[in-house]
């Protein structure tokens, strides 16, 4: 929002307050991931439009110097390597959402088929956008930061703000449902007034808590980067592998026990 209204004096508190106000009704209405399918599809089209517009604007902006490439960047430092690695982890940090998606599918065993399409597609698109942006002279921390102030930046930043709001909404659904399930007389699947009030209280509480924490800690961005860099990798990559191997071991053990049960029964003494 601050980039969309770059000519106005909009502080971070006001921008986050406007964003939270715009999310009040959606966080009350959307109660499970299945309710956000159409919204997620629209979000995919939205981010695609943002990338196309940003790259097109970079291509037509005059005066951008060509990049000089090096096998190893001469100004590389440990912190820059750590920051780049963290960004790479962030790019694929949606792994935890896969379990929630499978839980809402009618046939969870079909999820690997969808991932066989989504996984390579993400890698190809991320790499293509990064290479094209680099070739066009993007110098900011991202494509939007590399754009000059003008109408295109307003449009792209506004679209990106909607994208971020939808991403927050989808992630908030998972957390709100979990908190709702912890309440006494949990009724997360009910659709009566009392159930909506409980869910809304959880969702609004999360949003209000996030607003207060984000605006009360002066080094919030650095803190989030540190927490995300330390925890995103283990949570999104190592923990799922460990849980899968644990579940696989138990499954194999149960099959072995079931297979030897008839042998033990046949060897038991009679009379």
């Amino acid at each position: 929002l601050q980039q969309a209204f770059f000519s106005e004096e909009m502080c971070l508190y006001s921008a986050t307050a406007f964003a939270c106000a715009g999310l009040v009704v959606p966080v009350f209405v959307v109660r499970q991931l299945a309710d956000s399918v159409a919204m997620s599809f629209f979000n995919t089209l939205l981010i695609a439009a943002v990338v196309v517009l940003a790259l097109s604007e970079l291509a037509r902006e005059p005066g951008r110097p060509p990049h000089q490439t090096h096998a190893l960047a001469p100004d590389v430092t440990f912190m820059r390597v750590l920051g780049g690695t963290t960004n790479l982890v962030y790019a694929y940090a949606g792994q935890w959402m896969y379990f929630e998606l499978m839980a809402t599918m009618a046939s969870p065993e079909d999820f690997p088929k969808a991932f066989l399409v989504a996984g390579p597609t993400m890698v190809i698109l991320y790499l293509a956008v990064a290479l094209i942006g680099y070739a066009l002279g993007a110098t900011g921390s991202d494509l939007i930061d590399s754009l000059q102030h003008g109408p295109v930046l307003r449009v792209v930043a506004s679209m990106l703000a909607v994208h971020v709001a939808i991403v927050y909404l989808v992630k908030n659904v998972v957390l709100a449902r979990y908190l709702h399930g912890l309440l006494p007389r949990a009724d997360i699947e009910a659709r009566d007034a009392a159930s909506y009030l409980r869910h809304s209280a959880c969702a609004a509480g999360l949003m209000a808590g996030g607003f207060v924490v984000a605006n009360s800690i002066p080094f919030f961005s650095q803190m989030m980067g540190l927490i995300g860099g330390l925890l995103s990798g283990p949570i999104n990559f190592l923990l799922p592998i460990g849980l899968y191997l644990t579940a696989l071991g138990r499954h194999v053990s149960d099959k072995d026990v079931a297979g030897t049960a008839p042998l033990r029964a046949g060897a038991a003494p009679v009379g």
Side-chain angles (χ1 to χ4, degrees), residues 146-160:
S146 301
L147 298 179
Q148 298 177 2
H149 289 175
V152 175
L153 177 60
R154 289 188 186 277
V155 173
V156 169
S158 300
M159 296 169 66
L160 194 60

Side-chain angles (χ1 to χ4, degrees), residues 12 90 213-215 217-229:
L12 184 60
Y90 280 155
V213 172
N215 289 290
I217 301 177
F219 53 90
F220 180 74
S221 296
Q222 291 84 350
M223 184 187 72
M224 286 298 296
L226 181 62
I227 294 175

Side-chain angles (χ1 to χ4, degrees), residues 24 34 67 84 130 204 208 220 227 246:
V24 168
H67 279 297
F220 180 74
I227 294 175
T246 301

Side-chain angles (χ1 to χ4, degrees), residues 39-61:
M39 190 182 306
S40 298
F41 179 72
F42 169 75
N43 195 35
T44 302
L45 299 179
L46 190 67
I47 195 63
V50 167
V51 171
V52 171
L53 284 174
L55 292 177
S56 300
E57 182 67 8
L58 284 175
R60 60 184 292 271
E61 284 181 356

Side-chain angles (χ1 to χ4, degrees), residues 208-250:
F211 175 83
V212 172
V213 172
N215 289 290
S216 60
I217 301 177
F219 53 90
F220 180 74
S221 296
Q222 291 84 350
M223 184 187 72
M224 286 298 296
L226 181 62
I227 294 175
L230 291 175
L231 300 181
S232 289
I235 290 175
N236 291 292
F237 300 102
L238 300 181
L239 184 60
I241 295 174
L243 293 175
Y244 170 76
L245 293 177
T246 301
L248 180 63
R250 291 179 179 177

Side-chain angles (χ1 to χ4, degrees), residues 47-48 50-52 54-55 58 121-138 142-144:
I47 195 63
V50 167
V51 171
V52 171
L55 292 177
L58 284 175
T121 301
M122 286 190 294
V123 174
I124 293 171
L125 291 179
Y126 288 163
L127 183 60
V129 171
L131 292 177
I132 295 174
Y134 182 77
L136 292 177
D142 54 51
L143 290 178
I144 311 304

Side-chain angles (χ1 to χ4, degrees), residues 21-199:
L23 284 168
V24 168
V25 174
V27 298
F28 289 173
V29 175
V30 180
R31 296 187 51 180
Q32 57 183 359
L33 289 179
D35 299 334
S36 63
V37 172
M39 190 182 306
S40 298
F41 179 72
F42 169 75
N43 195 35
T44 302
L45 299 179
L46 190 67
I47 195 63
V50 167
V51 171
V52 171
L53 284 174
L55 292 177
S56 300
E57 182 67 8
L58 284 175
R60 60 184 292 271
E61 284 181 356
R64 288 190 175 274
H67 279 297
Q68 291 183 346
T69 58
H70 304 271
L72 180 64
D75 56 346
V76 66
T77 63
F78 173 76
M79 293 305 297
R80 295 193 66 176
V81 172
L82 182 61
T85 305
T86 302
N87 288 335
L88 184 62
V89 172
Y90 280 155
Y92 299 96
Q95 308 277 9
W96 65 273
M97 185 69 74
Y98 295 159
F99 299 102
E100 188 70 19
L101 290 173
M102 286 186 282
T104 60
M105 291 178 64
S107 302
E109 62 274 8
D110 290 336
F111 178 79
K113 301 176 183 177
F115 184 75
L116 285 176
V117 176
T121 301
M122 286 190 294
V123 174
I124 293 171
L125 291 179
Y126 288 163
L127 183 60
V129 171
L131 292 177
I132 295 174
Y134 182 77
L136 292 177
T139 56
S141 58
D142 54 51
L143 290 178
I144 311 304
D145 283 340
S146 301
L147 298 179
Q148 298 177 2
H149 289 175
V152 175
L153 177 60
R154 289 188 186 277
V155 173
V156 169
S158 300
M159 296 169 66
L160 194 60
V162 175
H163 160 71
V164 173
I166 293 176
V167 171
Y168 171 84
L169 179 62
V170 171
K171 294 186 176 182
N172 186 75
V173 168
V174 180
L175 297 175
R177 279 178 64 86
Y178 173 75
L179 294 178
H180 189 179
L182 296 178
L183 297 177
R185 295 176 298 172
D187 50 356
I188 59 177
E189 300 300 338
R191 289 298 181 266
D192 52 24
S195 179
Y196 269 101
L197 285 176
R198 292 190 181 94
H199 173 84

